[in-house]
Amino acid sequence: MGIWEFQRRLTGALLGWATASITFGLGLLRGEDLFRRGVGEQFAGWGVVNALIALFGRAGAARRQKLPEAGEPATQAAERRNIARLLWVNTALDVFYVLGGALTVRKRGATDEQWRGRGVGIMIQGGFLFFFDLVNAIRAGRVSLSDER
């Protein structure tokens, strides 16, 4: 699999997670339970953001793939380095999301069920993204360079 196919699959997987997050989040928002509503808010909100990231990422990769030099090994190597770097940076940021969610649970969530749910929602989303970004950062470094266009 070349870098362009890798990016197509990567953004497809992120879009799938985003769709599931939005759907699940909207379902949780229907109930009266404040904790569930807090989780639902986070799932729906993060889902929208992840969907936008996936769609813009896919569009950018598709645009770069159409460039005349897209089949060149140097171009593909640079693309592979860029996506791997982005995923490693995101992996580090994901740790802070989880910690921020835990802090939200501990502080604001100590007396407010909806804030507790929001914090848990942040921890779940950040935890998923940590493993998603980590696994894909490792995989990106192994993507073959080919004449794929």
Side-chain angles (χ1 to χ4, degrees), residues 65-138:
Q65 185 180 6
K66 291 178 184 175
L67 295 174
E69 64 274 11
E72 298 294 324
T75 300
Q76 292 183 17
E79 190 75 18
R80 181 175 63 187
R81 279 191 308 276
N82 289 341
I83 193 70
R85 184 180 308 118
L86 177 65
L87 288 164
W88 283 117
V89 168
N90 285 346
T91 300
L93 291 174
D94 297 334
V95 172
F96 291 104
Y97 300 146
V98 173
L99 292 173
L103 187 61
T104 299
V105 168
R106 183 173 164 92
K107 298 290 185 181
R108 294 195 75 174
T111 57
D112 186 319
E113 282 296 308
Q114 194 160 4
W115 273 103
R116 186 174 301 128
R118 289 172 181 149
V120 168
I122 293 168
M123 291 169 59
I124 293 169
Q125 291 288 325
F128 168 81
L129 290 171
F130 172 82
F131 288 106
F132 179 85
D133 292 334
L134 176 65
V135 166
N136 285 298
I138 293 167

Side-chain angles (χ1 to χ4, degrees), residues 2 4-5 13 17 32 42-43 48-50 53 75 82 105 109 118 122 127 130 133-134 141 145 149:
W4 307 115
E5 176 65 15
W17 172 255
E32 296 296 320
Q42 290 304 311
F43 269 62
V48 168
V49 170
N50 285 328
I53 290 169
T75 300
N82 289 341
V105 168
R118 289 172 181 149
I122 293 168
F130 172 82
D133 292 334
L134 176 65
L145 302 179
R149 298 206 31 115

